[in-house]
Amino acid sequence: STLDDKYLMLYFSAHWCPPCRDSIPLLSEAYTKLKAKRDDFELVFISFDQDQQTFDEYFDEMTFCALPYSEREAKNGISEKFGIWCIPFLLILGPVPTDGGERPIINRSLRRIIESGDLSNFPFCPKSYGALDHARSDIKNSKCLVVVHENGDDNKKQEIINMVKVVSKKYRDRNDMKFLWALDHSRLARRLRLVTKLPKRSDEPMMIILDIPDQGGYYVSKMTSVTVEN
């Protein structure tokens, strides 16, 4: 109850997971910096470790608090409630509503934001636009417009980013829609090309409507001139 009026970050992690261990220094540093500026939040480690000793050794590396390892039933309930099937996973919840009820989920894709070191947008409400590689959760849960152009020069890529941001603002009432760009030869971009049957490389930008929640549906635009209008 002492945390009811605070934002609550939940970090699902385990010592046996290499990406989890890699995240701890960055996450601990970010927590310490943010705590120096504000006290309206808390970060809680939810352990997927396999025994108390490993939990204790791992927790010693953290600057934030943890759900006690003995609370296995609570850990299982929280993980099931938020659908946590892979780690590391970091999400943020709002304070408990003044009239009671459950905390609202503010952002389920928080880890990369925190690790970037940019803490200026607390409580990190999700944007409707962004890079494909930072939107894995969005892809799984929302219809997405994706502009793909890995081979563009820096100026062209910046034009695409600016255009996607404008489009996202134009359709900001579409809460079920995300607007993304894929401008690097990342694994996820290659996977997107494979799934949507795009050529491995293209000299012109391409637009895709991706609707994984609708049985993995997608539509590839035939237009190669990417503008706000089209």
Side-chain angles (χ1 to χ4, degrees):
S1 61
T2 58
L3 299 177
D4 283 357
D5 61 344
K6 296 180 183 290
Y7 293 91
L8 191 61
M9 301 184 202
L10 302 180
Y11 181 55
F12 302 84
S13 181
H15 186 268
W16 50 260
C17 165
C20 296
R21 295 198 304 272
D22 292 342
S23 294
I24 290 302
L26 296 172
L27 193 56
S28 290
E29 181 182 1
Y31 173 81
T32 301
K33 287 181 178 179
L34 200 56
K35 269 294 182 181
K37 298 179 180 179
R38 58 193 312 141
D39 193 40
D40 59 347
F41 78 98
E42 194 51 74
L43 172 57
V44 181
F45 165 46
I46 309 294
S47 174
F48 276 60
D49 289 303
Q50 298 174 346
D51 57 68
Q52 181 73 54
Q53 181 179 349
T54 306
F55 167 87
D56 291 341
E57 293 174 357
Y58 192 33
F59 183 46
D60 281 344
E61 302 174 17
M62 303 175 189
T63 59
F64 40 91
C65 62
L67 179 73
Y69 183 79
S70 58
E71 299 288 344
R72 293 291 85 190
E73 185 174 340
K75 170 262 180 185
N76 292 335
I78 295 170
S79 301
E80 182 177 349
K81 178 181 180 64
F82 295 111
I84 307 303
W85 54 272
C86 65
I87 55 173
F89 200 100
L90 178 64
L91 58 82
I92 182 169
L93 308 172
V96 174
T98 55
D99 58 351
E102 297 188 346
R103 294 174 179 269
I105 299 175
I106 294 179
N107 196 331
R108 289 180 56 90
S109 303
L110 194 59
R111 184 168 67 94
R112 292 186 183 276
I113 297 175
I114 297 297
E115 290 177 357
S116 73
D118 182 5
L119 309 176
S120 60
N121 293 318
F122 184 91
F124 314 112
C125 297
K127 299 176 180 178
S128 60
Y129 61 83
L132 176 70
D133 284 349
H134 296 170
R136 294 175 185 270
S137 179
D138 292 330
I139 294 170
K140 295 174 183 176
N141 297 297
S142 305
K143 182 182 292 185
C144 300
L145 168 69
V146 187
V147 180
V148 184
H149 193 35
E150 305 95 322
N151 292 330
D153 60 27
D154 290 345
N155 289 336
K156 186 61 178 179
K157 288 181 178 180
Q158 189 59 53
E159 286 179 14
I160 289 174
I161 290 173
N162 294 340
M163 182 273 297
V164 171
K165 289 181 178 180
V166 170
V167 172
S168 73
K169 291 179 181 179
K170 183 177 180 180
Y171 294 97
R172 55 179 169 265
D173 58 331
R174 289 291 306 271
N175 296 325
D176 62 333
M177 190 86 179
K178 301 296 181 180
F179 303 86
L180 310 172
W181 54 79
L183 305 177
D184 298 302
H185 295 282
S186 66
R187 179 182 300 177
L188 190 54
R190 294 195 299 270
R191 178 64 179 169
L192 177 65
R193 284 186 174 274
L194 177 65
V195 170
T196 57
K197 301 178 182 178
L198 292 178
K200 291 183 178 180
R201 292 180 179 271
S202 58
D203 293 328
E204 299 296 335
M206 306 191 77
M207 290 189 294
I208 304 167
I209 297 292
L210 195 62
D211 195 359
I212 290 180
D214 185 18
Q215 299 181 346
Y218 65 89
Y219 168 76
V220 179
S221 173
K222 295 181 180 179
M223 298 181 180
T224 55
S225 176
V226 179
T227 66
V228 172
E229 289 71 27
N230 62 21

